[in-house]
Amino acid sequence: MKRFFCLLALCLTLTALAQQTPDKVRPICGPIIENPTTTGFTVIWETNMDAIGWVEVAPDDGSHFYNRDRTKFYDLRGHGNQVISNIHKVRVDGLKPGTKYRYRIMMKGVKSFDGPSNVDYTRPWGSDVYRKNPYTTSTLKENYDQVRFDVYNDIHQKDSILNVLMQAAKPDEIDFAVFNGDMVSSMAWKEKIREMFLTTGAANLKGSVPLFLQRGNHEFRGKDSKYWFDYIDGEQYHTASFGKFFFIFLDTGEDKPDNDIEYAGTMLSEPYLEAQAKWLEEVVKSPECKNAAVRIVFGHIPPRKGGWHGDENINEYFVPILNKAGISLMICGHLHQWMVYEPDGSVSDANFPVVVNSNCERLEVTAGKKEITLKAFSPEGKETHSYSCKTR
Ligand SMILES: [Fe+2]
């Protein structure tokens, strides 16, 4: 009997070890495309185990992907070392503007790493280019007559709803997508990012359409909130230029004062917003902003006077700066209902319209050089709201 239990314990231990260290490396989320420019883009994906990842890129010239050795791009975050991680972030650059490229994601799992010459790798694995077409994506053009994009916000972990919304979208017809915050309800554990929206988002964007992944107030909450940045290339507040269309992405912080009991002393939102406001002052003076034909701002929390503390913060920290910049439109979420604040001073001090997209709806935006049109769609595919405004 004693021998039986010893054998059982050994089997259980071996099974547990086998589960801890997979033999095969595979992607479990992504790839997603971030930070698109006229000369490059960043590819991010997650694997089922620690691995070394790289990306192979080929022109879209009709040749078979296996026609020749393709240009390889590596994860350079290791400061001279290969990055061994379950999240891979590879910058592809040096490309031609407005050009479609094919690519595949490559990886070899690291089962153990005991010393400089003692690494136990899995068999390498790459995304298929033989039975299926390789992934494709394009660099940004230098000029755009119009820019089209979809916005999703306040999904709050309803992954199946996100999937329905995104399946009704037309990824081939948009230039990018924005997840504008509160995609989860808390960051209590980091797996929520992958399991509760990002795998679905990546699958629907097909590794092709660039994604701007913005935080809402709920992504500030929870012990694993720091892991959010594993999935971001660059800074959380940033800008992007699509020709003369200039986009500002704000990180709008929490909705209550930092010392609220709900945060248990973990928040430092105010100094963060102050630093961001200083950055924004420089942004609106930049040639990219000044010379733009259309300027659109994204932020999760909308500016409001007399609202919650977070709403007031946006009105006080950012709106006075944005009012100097000739902003055409600000797109927000957070309120779980469709709202339009016209620039009449009644709700916020903004001298531009603020559109609040409802929760669990897809906002489809077409920005032309003279007019911006917005349409919101429910999960049933019904157009629920629309709005248009002149650019300036
Ligand atoms: Fe929110």
Side-chain angles (χ1 to χ4, degrees):
M1 196 58 153
K2 193 176 172 185
R3 184 185 285 178
F4 170 76
F5 280 116
C6 285
L7 199 60
L8 183 65
L10 182 63
C11 285
L12 288 172
T13 306
L14 288 173
T15 304
L17 281 172
Q19 284 171 348
Q20 282 167 10
T21 312
D23 284 332
K24 294 177 181 174
V25 63
R26 290 290 184 273
I28 55 172
C29 181
I32 57 173
I33 299 291
E34 290 190 14
N35 201 1
T37 65
T38 53
T39 58
F41 49 85
T42 300
V43 187
I44 297 175
W45 75 97
E46 185 169 347
T47 41
N48 61 336
M49 63 190 297
D50 280 350
I52 289 173
W54 67 99
V55 173
E56 296 181 355
V57 177
D60 189 38
D61 58 3
S63 65
H64 198 280
F65 204 93
Y66 286 139
N67 178 261
R68 68 192 65 187
D69 187 27
R70 300 302 185 180
T71 311
K72 294 168 181 58
F73 295 85
Y74 297 92
D75 190 339
L76 298 181
R77 291 174 295 155
H79 306 278
N81 285 114
Q82 288 274 17
V83 173
I84 299 173
S85 170
N86 65 324
I87 295 179
H88 311 281
K89 209 177 286 191
V90 175
R91 183 70 189 165
V92 175
D93 222 329
L95 308 179
K96 293 179 193 162
T99 305
K100 187 176 181 183
Y101 289 88
R102 299 174 291 167
Y103 74 92
R104 66 171 173 166
I105 53 171
M106 305 294 296
M107 60 217 80
K108 53 183 179 181
V110 176
K111 292 199 277 190
S112 66
F113 180 22
D114 297 329
S117 56
N118 191 16
V119 184
D120 186 10
Y121 291 112
T122 66
R123 221 176 136 182
W125 193 88
S127 55
D128 190 15
V129 293
Y130 181 58
R131 294 169 196 82
K132 293 186 210 165
N133 291 325
Y135 293 108
T136 62
T137 192
S138 298
T139 51
L140 301 192
K141 297 185 286 187
E142 289 178 326
N143 292 299
Y144 288 79
D145 292 328
Q146 65 174 23
V147 178
R148 299 185 67 182
F149 52 92
D150 287 338
V151 183
Y152 306 85
N153 51 275
D154 298 279
I155 297 297
H156 283 284
Q157 310 178 179
K158 298 184 185 76
D159 187 57
S160 56
I161 300 284
L162 177 66
N163 194 39
V164 168
L165 289 171
M166 294 192 81
Q167 291 214 328
K170 297 173 185 145
D172 296 341
E173 296 180 10
I174 57 171
D175 296 293
F176 62 87
V178 182
F179 286 175
N180 205 16
D182 285 5
M183 301 302 283
V184 295
S185 295
S186 88
M187 290 288 295
W189 60 92
K190 61 186 177 180
E191 289 78 10
K192 284 187 174 192
I193 298 172
R194 182 182 76 244
E195 294 172 1
M196 296 185 173
F197 74 93
L198 196 53
T199 301
T200 290
N204 282 287
L205 297 174
K206 302 179 178 180
S208 175
V209 180
L211 173 65
F212 293 100
L213 188 52
Q214 299 302 112
R215 285 196 298 180
N217 50 307
H218 282 264
E219 277 92 15
F220 281 79
R221 299 177 187 175
K223 69 176 174 49
D224 278 0
S225 54
K226 62 190 172 189
Y227 294 107
W228 179 262
F229 301 98
D230 286 352
Y231 299 86
I232 304 289
D233 180 41
E235 299 297 327
Q236 182 69 79
Y237 51 87
H238 61 102
T239 64
S241 291
F242 285 61
K244 294 282 188 185
F245 292 81
F246 187 69
F247 299 96
I248 300 174
F249 296 86
L250 298 176
D251 194 13
T252 52
E254 258 291 3
D255 59 0
K256 293 179 275 300
D258 283 351
N259 61 0
D260 189 89
I261 194 164
E262 192 172 316
Y263 305 142
T266 62
M267 283 302 300
L268 269 180
S269 177
E270 300 285 338
Y272 180 67
L273 295 180
E274 275 179 38
Q276 197 174 162
K278 285 182 185 154
W279 163 84
L280 187 61
E281 285 276 12
E282 298 308 310
V283 165
V284 300
K285 292 182 206 159
S286 68
E288 292 79 12
C289 185
K290 284 192 159 178
N291 298 332
V294 180
R295 301 167 198 86
I296 295 175
V297 180
F298 296 95
H300 176 73
I301 297 179
R304 274 195 305 179
K305 298 186 283 191
W308 286 41
H309 187 69
D311 309 29
E312 288 268 7
N313 271 343
I314 309 311
N315 195 55
E316 289 175 11
Y317 280 113
F318 299 146
V319 163
I321 303 167
L322 294 171
N323 279 346
K324 297 183 275 185
I327 301 298
S328 290
L329 175 70
M330 182 171 185
I331 298 173
C332 301
H334 185 58
L335 301 181
H336 293 213
Q337 59 179 319
W338 171 269
M339 303 279 285
V340 176
Y341 305 160
E342 293 292 354
D344 56 13
S346 60
V347 182
S348 81
D349 292 325
N351 64 8
F352 46 84
V354 177
V355 170
V356 178
N357 187 40
S358 186
N359 60 318
C360 298
E361 296 215 331
R362 177 173 66 90
L363 184 64
E364 190 180 277
V365 184
T366 303
K369 286 189 176 161
K370 293 187 175 170
E371 189 177 45
I372 305 168
T373 59
L374 304 90
K375 293 178 182 175
F377 294 90
S378 70
E380 293 77 29
K382 183 180 164 217
E383 185 181 319
T384 53
H385 302 93
S386 64
Y387 179 75
S388 65
C389 61
K390 300 288 180 206
T391 60
R392 59 190 191 127

